[in-house]
Amino acid sequence: MDKDKELSKLKKKILKFNKNFPKKNLVFADGNKNSQVMIIGEAPGKTEDKLKKPFVGRAGKLLDELLNCIHLDRTKVYITNVVNYRPDKNRKPTPEEINEFKKLLFKHIEIISPKCILLLGATAAAAVLNHIGPLSEVRGKWKNIKIINSYFDILTTFHPAFLLRQPARKKSTLEDLHEFKRKLSS
Ligand code: URA
């Protein structure tokens, strides 16, 4: 598969999904498209919309710090979001939007074809695992899920924006990340 060609086809498709996001920029992805690691967040915020890159605001800085703890950085991971446009007033994406973008996200996962996927927070868990309910039910647990035609190892942890509000949860996030690194290196 020609990843560049597939990614640019996908980008063109996502550009047509902007009707609920007037005047917002497409925030597609960042990092290494050949990485074994794919990280999936919720949706871009104000800074991400401005710079057209995922996780470049405060939550993104924290994500970079956490990744550094397991010796990863943006040259070694691929980062995207469930929804590729900033919802107005930082609202959460609606279940309908999650459902709509999910098909595109699954195609994105198929193209990147990572060894391990890290989901950040409840929106990513809802889209990829179909999990509706407390994050604690899936956090820190490996799932092996079929996406389109292949199975993927997927771990869920807290979203860095949540950790900015609840720093006490950083400890369990780091435990999740070390578990993630263990599987990645196995
Ligand atoms: N939060 C997310 O979920 N994604 C971003 O890109 C930035 C903040």
Side-chain angles (χ1 to χ4, degrees):
M1 181 204 287
D2 181 336
K3 276 194 187 182
D4 284 324
K5 210 165 144 190
E6 291 295 316
L7 287 170
S8 96
K9 262 207 279 188
L10 179 65
K11 228 184 213 179
K12 277 190 198 139
K13 243 188 210 169
I14 299 178
L15 276 168
K16 294 184 191 144
F17 275 72
N18 64 352
K19 64 179 188 304
N20 289 350
F21 309 95
K23 300 199 192 120
K24 295 295 191 296
N25 289 312
L26 169 64
V27 180
F28 187 66
D30 191 25
N32 179 350
K33 66 178 184 299
N34 297 313
S35 172
Q36 294 192 317
V37 177
M38 185 162 181
I39 299 175
I40 302 170
E42 179 176 286
K46 195 174 178 182
T47 316
E48 288 77 18
D49 177 55
K50 192 170 154 208
L51 302 178
K52 302 183 195 165
K53 260 191 192 184
F55 284 101
V56 286
R58 278 180 71 219
K61 287 214 167 67
L62 178 55
L63 176 62
D64 286 339
E65 280 170 33
L66 292 166
L67 290 174
N68 284 340
C69 295
I70 52 164
H71 309 290
L72 291 177
D73 60 40
R74 286 179 196 237
T75 65
K76 299 187 187 127
V77 303
Y78 186 84
I79 308 177
T80 188
N81 285 302
V82 175
V83 171
N84 302 100
Y85 297 95
R86 180 186 176 217
D88 257 336
K89 295 175 192 142
N90 282 347
R91 65 169 172 79
K92 277 194 172 300
T94 63
E96 291 73 27
E97 285 164 350
I98 293 174
N99 230 358
E100 200 173 25
F101 277 86
K102 179 174 167 159
K103 297 172 214 130
L104 302 156
L105 176 66
F106 281 10
K107 183 70 199 165
H108 210 158
I109 293 171
E110 186 187 47
I111 298 169
I112 297 303
S113 192
K115 179 174 177 187
C116 297
I117 297 175
L118 184 67
L119 303 179
L120 303 176
T123 298
V128 179
L129 306 177
N130 255 331
H131 178 76
I132 308 298
L135 193 72
S136 56
E137 289 174 3
V138 287
R139 200 221 101 227
K141 295 181 185 133
W142 281 106
K143 306 275 177 194
N144 187 259
I145 304 266
K146 192 174 185 190
I147 293 174
I148 308 185
N149 288 318
S150 312
Y151 281 86
F152 293 91
D153 285 321
I154 304 176
L155 190 74
T156 306
T157 194
F158 291 117
H159 192 289
F162 171 77
L163 296 175
L164 289 172
R165 302 190 300 273
Q166 301 274 341
R169 303 299 177 94
K170 276 187 201 167
K171 189 169 174 276
S172 25
T173 305
L174 280 172
E175 285 164 11
D176 296 343
L177 288 176
H178 281 108
E179 171 53 28
F180 187 81
K181 188 68 191 274
R182 189 199 59 73
K183 177 90 140 199
L184 186 65
S185 320
S186 68

